[in-house]
Amino acid sequence: MSEAKKETTIFQLADQFIALANEINTTEQDVSKVGTALRFAASRFNAFEAALKSADLAAEKANALEWFTKEYREMLTDNLNDHINNPPMSKEQEPKAQEPAKDDAVQIFSK
C-alpha cells in the first residue's frame, strides 16, 4: 500500500518565506528594507507566473494586473485585520522572566 503524498499548503510555504525574511532581518535590522525586497521578489515571481500561464502577456497584462492586485489586496486585508486583533509585541512589551518566589519556610545557613 503506497503512502499518500502530503501536499504542502500555501500557508506552510508562506511560513518558509516569512522565516527566511525574519532570518534576513536579523542581519539587516531593517524591516522596511526586507519588506520591500520581499514585495519586489513576489512581483518578479508573479510576473514570471503570468508569463508562463499566458499565451499573449502583452494582451493580457491589464487582466493579470487586476487579478494579482485583487488577490494581494484580499490577503493584505486579512493579515492587517489579524494584526489589528492580535497586535505584535515589541521587545519592551514582552513579559519579563520572573524571579523564583522566595520560600521563607526554608532557611539557608552559610558557614
Side-chain angles (χ1 to χ4, degrees):
M1 185 174 205
S2 67
E3 187 175 321
K5 181 184 173 195
K6 290 184 180 179
E7 191 169 322
T8 307
T9 69
I10 63 164
F11 301 107
Q12 291 167 321
L13 291 172
D15 285 345
Q16 291 177 37
F17 286 113
I18 293 166
L20 179 57
N22 286 332
E23 182 182 324
I24 293 168
N25 192 51
T26 60
T27 305
E28 292 297 322
Q29 296 292 308
D30 187 345
V31 73
S32 295
K33 182 179 181 182
V34 174
T36 300
L38 193 55
R39 286 189 300 279
F40 181 79
S43 71
R44 179 180 254 173
F45 194 85
N46 290 154
F48 172 69
E49 177 187 1
L52 290 178
K53 293 179 176 179
S54 175
D56 184 357
L57 186 56
E60 298 172 4
K61 179 181 172 184
N63 288 338
L65 278 168
E66 184 178 334
W67 187 83
F68 280 108
T69 302
K70 180 180 175 281
E71 287 286 304
Y72 181 78
R73 184 177 193 85
E74 289 174 4
M75 292 175 192
L76 182 59
T77 297
D78 288 346
N79 284 290
L80 287 171
N81 287 337
D82 184 47
H83 281 288
I84 289 167
N85 295 325
N86 306 291
M89 287 192 227
S90 68
K91 294 280 184 194
E92 295 79 31
Q93 294 172 316
E94 289 178 3
K96 300 211 188 311
Q98 294 181 354
E99 291 184 30
K102 292 185 180 180
D103 186 353
D104 292 336
V106 178
Q107 294 182 359
I108 300 173
F109 299 96
S110 57
K111 291 185 178 183

